[in-house]
Amino acid sequence: MATYSINDFRTGLKVMLDGDPCNIVENELVKPGKGQAFNRVKLRNLTTGRVWERTFRSNESLEGADVVDRDMEYLYTDGEFWHFMDPDTFDQFAADQKAVADAAKWLREQDKCVVTLFNNAPLVITPPNHVELEVVQTDPGLKGDTAQGGTKPATLSTGAVVKVPLFMNEGDVVRVDTRTGEYLGRANS
Amino acid sequence: MSNSEYLPSCSPALIEARANLYRNIRDFFYARHVLEVDMPLLASHFVTDPFIQPIVADDTGCTRYLQSSPEYAMKRLLAAQPRCIYSLGKVFRAAETSRRHNPEFTMLEWYRLGLDDHQLMAEVAELVQSVLPDVAVHYLSYHQWFASNLGINPHTCELAELRRVGKTLIEIDDTGLTCDDWLDLLVTHRLEPQMPAGLTFIYDYPASQAALAKILPDKTGTLVARRFEAFLNGMELANGYWELTDPQEQRRRFAADQKRRRDLGLPDIAADPKLLAALEAGLPDCAGVALGVDRLLMQLTGTRDIAHTLAFAADRV
């Protein structure tokens, strides 16, 4: 992998720091009066998700991280691993619980996801921003309830539980934002 | 190339605000009988300061340095023709691009005969107040600044103590960091962001950060540099000295800079013999200050990125 000097740091560049792959969030040159230049760099640790600030001297450099984002299709889970396939190359990748994390509850077979590969192994799974999933369990809505007003929990086909309007029934398909877990509306299907 | 790349970096209002600011500055000095002088941008020598890197020009095989400040030329002029002078023009520094830096920027530099650093601070305040009439002005010694915010005496503090305090506030690989590096880091990471609104002068810098200022004992007998910096709403705006006039001391400072450059693996920069000759001939007792005009314009117009004060910033030239 290439080595990047601190002055080359741009938002989105992936580098290795303390053994973990990191994404550069922000890089600001600070240069006090008559002193040497430093760079205050904000990085997101791609393994832990934590954002932290590190200060570097301008002559320091870091090794690039072999991290790529690829669009893949979710195939199935065997209980231990979640399997994905690149639809162009047919390469298959198995992601563990740590990589899939919260994304697991949004994954429906054949849906497209972004698989972040680190050294050719899945590091992070990002589900689509919006998914359409069937309600498999929810209490019946009370008669007379309309679009406005209260919500109730509903379990979706992938196992996620979201708050839906009282008028939604089992078998309905809902549109959900996976970043917030919010109900967006009834799907047109 | 996309069609929008020919466009300027800033709005028509900023172009006009800059022109007005230049006129205000020139009026300010005209009223005070300070003469505008025009100094060369291409010169045979460059500052030895280890933390200012030159942009080097080549005139048919003859090396010329784009000047990072008109200081040496102005001091040579002062030695030969003593009178109060100012320069308003471009200066150049390699590898400095950020929200607050552009590799070429506009510097206002002026020298006042017979004034010391404190009298010059008062004049800097008057200049800023001439364009920002309601600005509050604060004065704080470098020692008070560190003592009140961090409980440290910056003039006597040992490296181990600075490292201990610094490490709790700043994540950095501290191999090879000096006391001055730590003091600077505490300034940029901790003290600058906590500055009060308005114009703040920090004076009596550590002797190790004297640059071209006189070093004299303060009230407690501690040797301090008679150097000051002005910060406007937490952003560094100006750097001033009660000027060093002693040629022997100037030679020692050049040599110390050159040693530091070698230690850091930076290219050698020759001491300017013409500046030394001017000091030998006699630089009149004076105070001088350099002020970043683009940064003043940022504060006047509430602009967060220096690029938006420039007709064409570094990414558009």
Side-chain angles (χ1 to χ4, degrees):
Chain A
M1 238 11 229
T3 303
Y4 297 95
S5 97
I6 302 303
N7 288 320
D8 297 333
F9 279 17
R10 300 284 176 269
T11 303
L13 185 73
K14 313 285 197 297
V15 293
M16 295 299 294
L17 182 61
D18 297 346
D20 281 336
C22 297
N23 188 19
I24 306 288
V25 178
E26 198 180 291
N27 177 17
E28 195 189 12
L29 173 77
V30 290
K31 196 161 185 313
K34 290 286 165 192
Q36 69 168 296
F38 293 96
N39 288 67
R40 293 178 80 162
V41 181
K42 283 206 179 90
L43 310 101
R44 181 185 299 280
N45 183 322
L46 292 171
T47 305
T48 63
R50 190 169 79 97
V51 173
W52 89 100
E53 187 187 296
R54 277 283 277 260
T55 298
F56 298 92
R57 274 161 278 185
S58 300
N59 59 2
E60 286 185 81
S61 58
L62 289 179
E63 200 183 324
D66 181 11
V67 172
V68 286
D69 289 338
R70 278 166 70 173
D71 291 323
M72 293 197 203
E73 190 177 303
Y74 169 57
L75 299 176
Y76 66 96
T77 177
D78 57 22
E80 191 182 357
F81 291 99
W82 285 254
H83 297 269
F84 297 84
M85 183 182 71
D86 184 322
D88 298 325
T89 62
F90 304 108
D91 290 338
Q92 288 194 22
F93 295 89
D96 61 11
Q97 168 72 52
K98 196 163 157 259
V100 176
D102 278 354
K105 66 182 182 188
W106 304 114
L107 293 179
R108 188 176 62 174
E109 291 173 9
Q110 284 156 33
D111 273 358
K112 293 278 191 295
C113 299
V114 175
V115 178
T116 303
L117 296 174
F118 171 48
N119 292 336
N120 218 35
L123 179 72
V124 181
I125 307 298
T126 312
N129 290 342
H130 299 150
V131 292
E132 292 182 358
L133 296 168
E134 188 186 336
V135 176
V136 294
Q137 195 282 318
T138 191
D139 292 336
L142 296 168
K143 203 166 177 64
D145 280 325
T146 56
Q148 57 191 353
T151 61
K152 60 181 180 180
T155 307
L156 308 181
S157 56
T158 54
V161 177
V162 297
K163 283 184 179 146
V164 301
L166 296 175
F167 60 80
M168 297 299 295
N169 294 310
E170 290 176 7
D172 286 344
V173 177
V174 294
R175 195 169 164 76
V176 183
D177 188 319
T178 60
R179 294 161 297 185
T180 59
E182 269 175 34
Y183 166 87
L184 297 173
R186 193 199 290 265
N188 304 318
S189 61
Chain B
M1 172 171 296
S2 81
N3 287 335
S4 63
E5 285 187 20
Y6 81 93
L7 288 168
S9 309
C10 78
S11 65
L14 259 296
I15 295 279
E16 209 168 297
R18 178 178 288 273
N20 287 335
L21 177 57
Y22 287 8
R23 199 188 62 229
N24 284 333
I25 289 169
R26 291 190 160 108
D27 287 349
F28 180 88
F29 288 112
Y30 181 78
R32 287 161 187 250
H33 308 287
V34 180
L35 189 72
E36 180 165 11
V37 293
D38 189 355
M39 295 292 104
L41 295 180
L42 292 168
S44 60
H45 286 76
F46 192 72
V47 295
T48 50
D49 190 323
F51 303 120
I52 298 179
Q53 309 316 331
I55 298 179
V56 184
D58 178 292
D59 180 1
T60 53
C62 176
T63 298
R64 288 288 178 260
Y65 297 93
L66 282 163
Q67 293 297 283
S68 61
S69 139
E71 178 162 13
Y72 289 6
M74 289 178 88
K75 285 182 173 171
R76 286 166 56 193
L77 190 62
L78 283 168
Q81 304 173 15
R83 61 181 298 173
C84 296
I85 53 175
Y86 78 96
S87 151
L88 177 61
K90 282 289 178 74
V91 293
F92 303 83
R93 296 181 181 190
E96 293 192 15
T97 307
S98 83
R99 214 165 50 71
R100 300 172 170 201
H101 299 87
N102 195 67
E104 62 174 294
F105 61 100
T106 300
M107 184 179 273
L108 168 65
E109 181 149 335
W110 76 97
Y111 291 85
R112 287 297 227 149
L113 302 186
L115 260 54
D116 67 12
D117 45 342
H118 286 269
Q119 292 167 308
L120 188 58
M121 280 191 261
E123 187 163 69
V124 173
E126 287 165 34
L127 174 79
V128 173
Q129 283 169 326
S130 76
V131 290
L132 272 175
D134 298 325
V135 73
V137 183
H138 316 276
Y139 294 89
L140 203 61
S141 75
Y142 194 89
H143 174 262
Q144 289 167 329
W145 200 23
F146 272 77
S148 62
N149 287 286
L150 294 163
I152 289 176
N153 181 339
H155 301 296
T156 58
C157 202
E158 305 270 342
L159 180 60
E161 171 71 355
L162 285 169
R163 185 190 285 137
R164 190 190 61 75
V165 174
K167 281 290 213 183
T168 64
L169 301 167
I170 303 157
E171 278 197 57
I172 188 169
D173 171 6
D174 65 340
T175 321
L177 289 185
T178 63
C179 282
D180 284 324
D181 292 333
W182 274 118
L183 291 172
D184 282 341
L185 283 165
L186 290 168
V187 166
T188 55
H189 286 58
R190 183 66 173 214
L191 301 181
E192 257 185 41
Q194 290 183 349
M195 275 198 161
L199 181 65
T200 304
F201 289 95
I202 305 293
Y203 59 90
D204 286 358
Y205 270 69
S208 55
Q209 298 180 22
L212 301 186
K214 286 184 201 295
I215 295 176
L216 292 169
D218 69 3
K219 276 175 289 187
T220 68
T222 307
L223 284 177
V224 296
R226 297 296 293 267
R227 169 184 159 206
F228 66 86
E229 291 227 2
F231 296 82
L232 188 49
N233 298 323
M235 183 189 290
E236 190 187 340
L237 181 71
N239 177 61
Y241 309 133
W242 190 11
E243 298 290 347
L244 176 66
T245 54
D246 174 359
Q248 294 316 317
E249 175 65 11
Q250 180 66 64
R251 274 200 181 82
R252 282 193 288 275
R253 305 246 181 122
F254 274 152
D257 278 353
Q258 287 168 325
K259 179 178 184 309
R260 185 97 173 96
R261 290 190 76 95
R262 277 194 298 277
D263 292 347
L264 290 165
L266 293 166
D268 225 24
I269 294 281
D272 185 347
K274 298 189 188 77
L275 177 70
L276 287 168
L279 264 58
E280 295 284 2
L283 180 65
D285 194 52
C286 63
V289 62
L291 181 148
V293 176
D294 315 273
R295 289 189 179 177
L296 180 55
L297 189 56
M298 286 172 76
Q299 293 289 337
L300 286 179
T301 57
T303 308
R304 285 185 46 80
D305 190 331
I306 195 170
H308 299 143
T309 71
L310 299 164
F312 298 99
D315 63 345
R316 295 274 174 112
V317 291

